[in-house]
Amino acid sequence: MKKLESLVAEKLLKISAIKLQPEIPFVWASGWNSPIYTDNRKTLSYPELRTFIKTELCRIIMENFEQPDAIAGVATGAIAQGALVADTLALPYVYVRSTPKDHGLENLIEGNLKPGQKVVVIEDLISTGGSSLKAVEAIRNAGCEVVGMAAIFTYGFPVAVKRFNEAGVKLITLSNYNSMLEAALETNYIKQEDLETLKEWRKDPANWSPASKAE
């Protein structure tokens, strides 16, 4: 039986939620050149996969975190997935904006959290960890305890690992970059020679470019 990490990665590749282009890199909003682009919101368009992701997120929450009082999704990618999880677990739900709303009550957190509540945060993707941990900070500032974060996929950048450790946030993901590379190779999505390029990028993504690929 395939491990969950490999199975999820294979499913994400199949629907192009994860795209790999080692020879013609994408350019991220940050300006980074990248041989990978991930958009896990695509999973919402596939009912069977949507249910599978939701079920597995619920399972890892119940197995790895103390019984939460509420679920929080991180805008915008995890808003829908977080709501699905909260509904399945019959828990209150909120989502956290990247910036406060610029009118009305200027909310950063949409929904009602009560001080002292234990909250699990849902993310669709972990890259550098910056936006994810801003959401954690907002929830803590609201007087709540973040018992952990559950996400669909992580690139596993060292900077993200460091930030999560420093913030004291336990992160559990359904899949990860290494498992994705293995799945991509097994399904002939990439060739063996592409593997080193993809591994090199992860070592220093901010400075990687096609010209800097490993020989």
Side-chain angles (χ1 to χ4, degrees):
M1 178 181 278
K2 288 184 179 178
K3 290 183 178 178
L4 177 64
E5 293 92 340
S6 298
L7 185 59
V8 171
E10 192 174 304
K11 290 177 182 290
L12 295 177
L13 286 164
K14 186 175 182 180
I15 66 165
S16 296
I18 292 178
K19 289 186 177 182
L20 299 174
Q21 293 183 184
E23 300 300 328
I24 310 172
F26 301 96
V27 178
W28 285 3
S30 61
W32 291 4
N33 289 300
S34 171
I36 182 172
Y37 187 79
T38 305
D39 182 4
N40 288 326
R41 285 170 289 202
K42 286 192 173 184
T43 62
L44 298 168
S45 298
Y46 299 83
E48 287 188 12
L49 180 54
R50 182 178 68 216
T51 299
F52 174 75
I53 294 289
K54 174 194 70 176
T55 301
E56 290 303 319
L57 284 172
C58 290
R59 183 184 60 77
I60 64 173
I61 288 170
M62 300 313 293
E63 288 181 357
N64 292 279
F65 303 123
E66 185 179 347
Q67 175 64 46
D69 301 311
I71 299 294
V74 180
T76 59
I79 291 177
Q81 203 62 255
L84 290 167
V85 168
D87 188 61
T88 301
L89 296 177
L91 290 172
Y93 177 66
V94 303
Y95 71 84
V96 186
R97 293 174 171 272
S98 55
T99 56
K101 191 159 57 174
D102 60 5
H103 60 279
L105 298 177
E106 299 183 349
N107 294 334
L108 183 56
I109 298 175
E110 297 290 1
N112 292 318
L113 280 179
K114 298 176 182 177
Q117 284 186 315
K118 293 180 171 66
V119 181
V120 169
V121 180
I122 303 294
E123 260 288 25
D124 65 323
L125 173 68
I126 306 295
S127 55
T128 63
S131 59
S132 305
L133 291 173
K134 280 183 180 178
V136 168
E137 183 181 13
I139 293 166
R140 286 173 170 170
N141 288 342
C144 296
E145 176 187 349
V146 174
V147 296
M149 184 179 296
I152 298 174
F153 187 80
T154 179
Y155 292 122
F157 292 145
V159 64
V161 174
K162 183 172 183 287
R163 284 175 171 173
F164 273 85
N165 286 337
E166 289 175 348
V169 177
K170 182 177 181 180
L171 171 66
I172 306 291
T173 64
L174 297 184
S175 191
N176 54 68
Y177 193 73
N178 289 339
S179 294
M180 182 277 299
L181 291 182
E182 291 174 8
L185 201 58
E186 286 177 8
T187 57
N188 298 313
Y189 191 108
I190 58 171
K191 300 173 184 176
Q192 185 66 45
E193 53 264 34
D194 295 324
L195 204 55
E196 283 307 309
T197 297
L198 291 159
K199 287 181 177 179
E200 282 299 312
W201 169 77
R202 213 246 310 254
K203 290 179 183 177
D204 189 11
N207 297 305
W208 183 89
S209 68
S212 66
K213 295 187 298 183
E215 296 296 331

